[in-house]
Amino acid sequence: MSTVNRNLIAILRGVTPAEVVDITAAVIDAGITSIEVPLNSPDAFTSIEMLVKQFGDSALIGAGTVLSVKDVENVAAVGGKLIVSPNCNPEVIKATKAHAMFSYPGVMTATECFLALESGADGLKFFPSSLLGADGLAALKAVLPPSAETYAVGGVGPDNFAQWINAGASGFGIGTGIYKPGFSVEDVASRAKAIVTAYDQCKNG
């Protein structure tokens, strides 16, 4: 397994407990060590608990599509450490930090960005980033604190990593580019490796 900590989050939307360990092993082996299981996946809390037990010492495991404080508490109860949301809910952010977990809320506007940061978010998830565009991110970066982590999610991949990095993106969340229901472990492995290769090339020039 790669020990490099890349700013890439694998979003395994729709993954089932029966396949989640093998799928995640392929993603981690490729070099992506932050794993998000969206809560609208089948038996998501079971999958998260399985991943924490299997990979919790070597990867950051948690949940996506987290919409409520109760969801945060349920993720904490199974050992998850990562909370990702499609929206900016200060109560969810504060609950996440109260459990000493990492918070990445979804934002689009300057108002949402600053509200998220003031509430304690560890980073900002620009979603869907295809609507904002790299130019929009570059404009927001001009007013955001330089230390703010910015993740582009939705419509990003190897073909446009460089454009987003040049605009100021710290990292990326990758969903269907890595996993969709029906993908085999081999499919996931090859896609994850291609994403890591492209990311490393962009980051290392």
Side-chain angles (χ1 to χ4, degrees):
M1 188 193 81
S2 171
T3 56
V4 177
N5 182 26
R6 297 177 177 88
N7 288 338
L8 293 169
I9 300 174
I11 304 166
L12 306 182
R13 190 178 307 280
V15 74
T16 65
E19 63 182 341
V20 71
V21 170
D22 290 342
I23 293 290
T24 300
V27 172
I28 293 174
D29 285 343
I32 301 173
T33 55
S34 294
I35 311 295
E36 167 194 336
V37 178
L39 293 185
N40 55 1
S41 304
D43 300 317
F45 293 111
T46 299
S47 289
I48 294 167
E49 186 171 23
M50 293 171 68
L51 294 184
V52 169
K53 289 178 179 177
Q54 189 76 21
F55 305 111
D57 291 337
S58 57
L60 179 63
I61 307 296
T65 319
V66 178
L67 303 177
S68 70
V69 171
K70 182 62 177 175
D71 286 340
V72 173
E73 293 170 349
N74 288 338
V75 175
V78 296
K81 299 294 184 185
L82 173 67
I83 296 292
V84 184
S85 300
N87 62 331
C88 177
N89 182 333
E91 296 308 312
V92 167
I93 298 168
K94 292 172 184 176
T96 300
K97 298 314 298 177
H99 284 283
M101 302 159 77
F102 292 95
S103 170
Y104 290 88
V107 297
M108 185 67 70
T109 66
T111 298
E112 291 174 333
C113 291
F114 282 100
L115 178 60
L117 294 172
E118 289 164 6
S119 299
D122 294 284
L124 304 172
K125 169 190 171 181
F126 289 92
F127 174 80
S129 58
S130 55
L131 287 181
L132 179 66
D135 289 345
L137 175 62
L140 284 169
K141 284 286 290 184
V143 297
L144 290 175
S147 60
E149 287 191 17
T150 54
Y151 279 70
V153 181
V156 295
D159 293 342
N160 59 14
F161 279 164
Q163 180 183 8
W164 282 98
I165 290 170
N166 289 338
S170 305
F172 303 95
I174 309 292
T176 57
I178 288 180
Y179 174 83
K180 285 195 293 188
F183 280 9
S184 67
V185 173
E186 292 74 22
D187 292 333
V188 172
S190 64
R191 286 166 174 267
K193 287 173 185 174
I195 285 165
V196 166
T197 297
Y199 176 87
D200 286 352
Q201 288 174 346
C202 291
K203 281 291 193 178
N204 299 328

